[in-house]
Structure formats: structure tokens, C-alpha cells
Amino acid sequence: MTGPAGNGRPGSGEAPSAARPHFGDRLANAVEARRSQIVLGMDPDPMKLWPAAVEDSSEARARLAATLSEAEGAAGEVRESAPGGAGLGVVARLESAAAVLAHCLALIDAAGPACVAVKPQLACFERLGAPGWLALEHVVVHARASGLLVLADGKRGDVPVTAAAYGQALVGGTPSPFGTVSGLEADAFTANPLLGRDALEPLIAAARSRAAGAYVLVRTSNPGAADILDARLDSGERLWERLARMVADLGEEAPGALTDVGAVTGATEPEHLARLRELMPRTPFLLPGIGAQGGDVGALAPAFAPGRAGGLVTASRSIANAYEQSGQPPESAARAEAERLREQAWALT
């Protein structure tokens, strides 16, 4: 872990974007270097953490305390002194965030060697308030120090001016009279396309300026996706087919075998993969839904048509909670499950 940066957040030591190849090439290089297409999903529930994270979070708590800003402390004092303020749980937020951080660091150390990236679900950290976001920043720094890419899963999407702000928050920085405020500095993020192309373009521009990537929702893994994304348009094509064409076009200017604009294509609907790959021949796929949602790695072969990095297989609960079925210690069970998935996916290509 690097020390705190001057703006009160953990330092990343990130190289300037000008020194890096674009995201499609970075992704391909990382997959080959780590011999893995597995993404470690991180959606920590404070009530379902590894026991040791709850019992021994003192180091994580110290990391948060060392980098919490004076402004957060002052805000907490105001809330606690206000009528009813004691119920707002400043202490509960800090303790919960510390336990979540300890859990996530241990999970990265255990399963990370079998993975190419981590995918923190931003909502799981944001719900813990300011300490939760700070815990997320420490997770990002630790993942990067462990040689992993970071895919921020927030599914952002809004009108263009707000989309630009999301881009600054996730991969860039925000100019201010006091200096630039660093964002999360993720390697890629997920984005919602349903506000239209003009809402996606600022997000993609922000990512491209930092040699980062954007994974756009095309056909998601949840059962209710069929209600909207399978709808037939007047042209006869399904909505997800229209979205796939747009994603392919948005990434077209990127050089190399893979573009820097990816697609989220759920592993729970593998029958669509061949058509999705036909529509997006150079697009990297992010494939959620393995494990707890019922997806099968063996059905994902079409995703890897452009090469091994053409598909990233994400797994969250099936890795973090593997110990519940195996009877092994959490760390050993998580590593074994991640390695099993890595070998299964690698064998397809």
C-alpha cells in the first residue's frame, strides 16, 4: 500500500496515460501475462464478511483513519451534535468500512493470483458513506499493487454534462481552484447506454483520454433483462442487437485487435453470444453471471473468438463464499475456486 497522496486519498503511483497503450492492448497484455480471464467481483455485504475480517480489522481501521479528511471528521461532529444525530451512525460507518476493507484486501490476496482484474461493485461501498468510498480507494490501490486491472462497476449513464462528471470521478480528475481532485483512477468502468449515444460519448472520451476502457451494457445476466433488452424494434432487430451495433461503432477508431469500448454480455444467456460476437467482432466482452447466477464457463467459447482477452469471466459470490460449501478456510477456498475457473476458461481458448 502506498502512502496517502496530497489530496487526502491513498496514492496510486499510476503512470501517466500518455505512457500507456490503449485499453484493448493493455487488456490483452494483462490476460497473457497473468494467464487468466477471470475477474474477481467484489460486492461485500457487511453482514456476510469473512469472519477474520470482522474480528481483526484494526489495521484496516488505521488505514482509513490515517486518510480520512478533516472535513469528514468535522461533518461527523456536526451530525452527532445535531438533534437525532447520534442515530446517523458515524461510528457504525467507520467500523463497517474497516471490516469491508479488511475482507476485500484478504480476498484479493487469496484469489487475486488466479485473476486478471477485480470488479468492485460501487454501490456496496457507497452505501457505507464517506468511509466506504475511502475503503474503495484503498481496495483499488491494493488491487493495482497486486498487478490486477480494476473495473469499476457502477453502470453509470446520464445526460452528457453529468456523464462527463462521472468520467472524471471514475477514471480522471476534476480541476478546481485548489488543484486537481483525483478520481478513482479505474482501468475501466461499466456504463448504461439507455440515455443514448450522446450520453455515452463523454464517458468514452474520458476513458480514452486516460487509456482506460468502458464496458457498455448490451445484454445483461439478470432474468428481467428480457423485459427490455429482448424487445423487438420496428426494424425487427432486438434492442440488444441495436445496442451491440452502437457499441461496435463507438469502439471502431481504436487500433489493435480489441477496441477500448467493451460490452457487458451476461453469461446466463450464452445462446446470444454467437450473434453478439458477429455484431461486435473486435469488442471485449465482460461476462457476468458465473456461479451464483447459474452461468457456465463451458458455454462461453464464442466470446473468445478475437483471442483470449475477448472475454472476461466475472465471478463474485462463488469465489468469496466458496468456503461455505468446501469446509476449507475462506482464503484457501477462494483461491481454489478462482483457480478452477481460470483453468476452465483458459482451456476454451
Side-chain angles (χ1 to χ4, degrees), residues 36 51 98 103 140-141 153 192 269-270 285 302 344 346:
S36 177
H103 169 88
V140 168
V141 171
D153 191 3
N192 189 327
E269 300 289 341
F285 289 0
Q344 192 176 2
W346 201 257

Side-chain angles (χ1 to χ4, degrees), residues 160-283:
V161 65
T162 310
Y166 277 137
Q168 291 173 319
L170 295 173
V171 295
T174 303
S176 84
F178 315 101
T180 297
V181 179
S182 297
L184 194 61
E185 297 181 358
D187 295 288
F189 53 79
T190 57
N192 189 327
L194 293 182
L195 267 72
R197 184 177 180 126
D198 64 338
L200 280 178
E201 286 173 339
L203 285 167
I204 293 169
R208 195 164 278 162
S209 71
R210 300 288 295 178
Y215 282 91
V216 179
L217 306 181
V218 173
R219 182 55 171 87
T220 56
S221 60
N222 60 304
D227 299 340
I228 302 297
L229 297 174
D230 286 359
R232 294 279 179 179
L233 306 179
D234 290 343
S235 63
E237 64 184 342
R238 289 162 289 194
L239 177 56
W240 61 258
E241 291 176 297
R242 175 72 63 84
L243 294 174
R245 294 181 193 279
M246 181 173 66
V247 167
D249 185 58
L250 286 167
E252 186 58 35
E253 71 178 70
L258 292 173
T259 73
D260 54 0
V261 181
V264 179
T265 57
T268 54
E269 300 289 341
E271 67 272 17
H272 299 319
L273 285 178
R275 176 59 175 157
L276 287 162
R277 182 50 75 200
E278 177 185 357
L279 292 168
M280 299 180 288
R282 298 176 54 229
T283 300

